[in-house]
Amino acid sequence: MTETANDNALGTFLRDRRMRLDPATFGFQPGRRRTPGLRREEVAQRANISPTWYTWLEQGRGGAPSAHVLDRIAVGLMLTEPERDHLHVLAFGHPPEPHYRQHESITPRLQRVLDAMPFSPAIIRTATWDVVAWNKAATVILTDYARLPRDRRNILRMIFSDERVRAAQDDWRNVARYVVGAFRADAARAGAGMEIRQLVDELSASSPEFKAMWDDNEIAAAREGIKRLHHPHLGAIELEFSSFAVEGRPDLNMMVYNPANAEIMAQFRTLLANL
């Protein structure tokens, strides 16, 4: 029986990535090598697994590895996050279980995407609903996040602890319930259970309303909808919002707010121009 290219996709992928690595980078002597890249026993050494078993894995006869071992191999091969995800898909048919890692910044390119929307307030938030980036329109229409300490840029803290933010909501209770449900779903999806525990304990102790909503165990999807605000300069305004995943960054989500009609858009333009 002739082996097709797809019979051992996992082994083919491992071999391809192994052969792209420079031995000198890892302190291995280049010497005389029949093929480029690391030797199989060198990858096994870096992953702290048996050379024989790793060889069998590349050859498609080693059996399915555990997720933990596969992650060690990914580290040994210096795989990127998307490559690691692909490795798990090849081995198990699905991406790895989420393990939340929060970053405090975004790329300049992503910031330029925000800045390219001068009349649409836009923010980048983490799975635990910390706002880590925003554009000028967001500072004028929503909140000037730059004026807040880093730990106060959390949307849940603002909803339940900031009287100004609370007063700005047209229907605070429904907004707060929706935010809690969406926060719960996002944090669980990103595998951020440990990260939210301190925040939940803090808000449960300081806000009986938050505790009651959290104990209700409701789930919401923060995809799109309508947001109604009382703005200090514009009065009552209505915004449409949409939520977008950031490719390659499962910890981040972009939310974009657009004026719900031409009249509000004209008000935005005038206010932003004057500022």
Side-chain angles (χ1 to χ4, degrees):
M1 176 178 174
T2 302
E3 183 183 78
T4 66
N6 291 326
D7 284 338
N8 184 24
L10 174 62
T12 300
F13 182 73
L14 290 172
R15 184 166 55 254
D16 176 79
R17 291 306 183 269
R18 171 173 62 81
M19 294 176 69
R20 295 184 183 205
L21 298 177
D22 179 5
T25 301
F26 305 96
F28 297 120
Q29 293 298 322
R32 296 182 62 182
R33 294 171 180 256
R34 290 179 295 176
T35 57
L38 296 185
R39 297 186 176 105
R40 287 171 175 151
E41 58 268 25
E42 291 168 342
V43 174
Q45 177 183 332
R46 285 180 49 76
N48 194 28
I49 59 176
S50 161
T52 300
W53 188 85
Y54 178 78
T55 298
W56 286 351
L57 187 63
E58 274 200 11
Q59 294 172 346
R61 59 191 182 100
S66 69
H68 178 64
V69 168
L70 208 62
D71 283 338
R72 293 215 306 266
I73 294 172
V75 172
L77 290 171
M78 295 186 67
L79 299 187
T80 65
E81 198 72 21
E83 288 173 336
R84 170 179 171 268
D85 291 351
H86 185 65
L87 191 65
H88 278 256
V89 170
L90 293 177
F92 309 122
H94 58 78
E97 291 298 318
H99 177 67
Y100 183 65
R101 286 181 290 178
Q102 180 168 318
H103 301 274
E104 296 296 332
S105 62
I106 64 170
T107 63
R109 179 176 298 173
L110 187 52
Q111 182 64 56
R112 287 193 291 272
V113 172
L114 299 182
D115 295 337
M117 297 181 280
F119 305 113
S120 297
I123 63 172
I124 301 289
R125 60 170 174 78
T126 68
T128 54
W129 288 56
D130 290 313
V131 177
V132 293
W134 53 90
N135 61 7
K136 180 181 177 182
T139 68
V140 175
I141 304 300
L142 302 176
T143 296
D144 190 349
Y145 299 98
R147 293 180 177 271
L148 298 176
R150 189 181 297 273
D151 65 336
R152 304 310 299 177
R153 296 173 190 165
N154 180 273
I155 293 175
L156 272 85
R157 284 195 179 101
M158 295 169 66
I159 286 287
F160 287 94
S161 305
D162 189 324
E163 287 301 323
R164 182 193 60 82
V165 173
R166 180 170 183 146
Q169 309 306 313
D170 183 63
D171 185 352
W172 179 86
R173 185 163 297 279
N174 277 334
V175 169
R177 186 174 297 279
Y178 170 81
V179 166
V180 170
F183 165 77
R184 184 195 301 275
D186 281 357
R189 190 180 302 112
M194 294 295 294
E195 286 76 10
I196 70 172
R197 183 173 302 168
Q198 183 177 353
L199 177 61
V200 168
D201 289 347
E202 170 199 323
L203 291 174
S204 295
S206 63
S207 171
E209 292 164 309
F210 172 83
K211 186 177 189 310
M213 293 179 190
W214 183 257
D215 290 344
D216 281 343
N217 281 300
E218 290 186 2
I219 298 293
R223 300 290 185 267
E224 57 183 23
I226 299 293
K227 185 177 186 65
R228 297 177 178 86
L229 291 174
H230 298 285
H231 191 271
H233 300 295
L234 302 177
I237 58 174
E238 191 171 86
L239 308 171
E240 299 173 339
F241 70 84
S242 299
S243 180
F244 304 92
V246 177
E247 182 68 24
R249 290 290 301 271
D251 58 314
L252 297 182
N253 187 277
M254 179 167 66
M255 297 193 72
V256 180
Y257 298 83
N258 287 306
N261 55 56
E263 179 183 353
I264 299 175
M265 172 61 83
Q267 292 176 326
F268 275 26
R269 288 177 178 272
T270 299
L271 180 61
L272 289 163
N274 289 337
L275 292 176

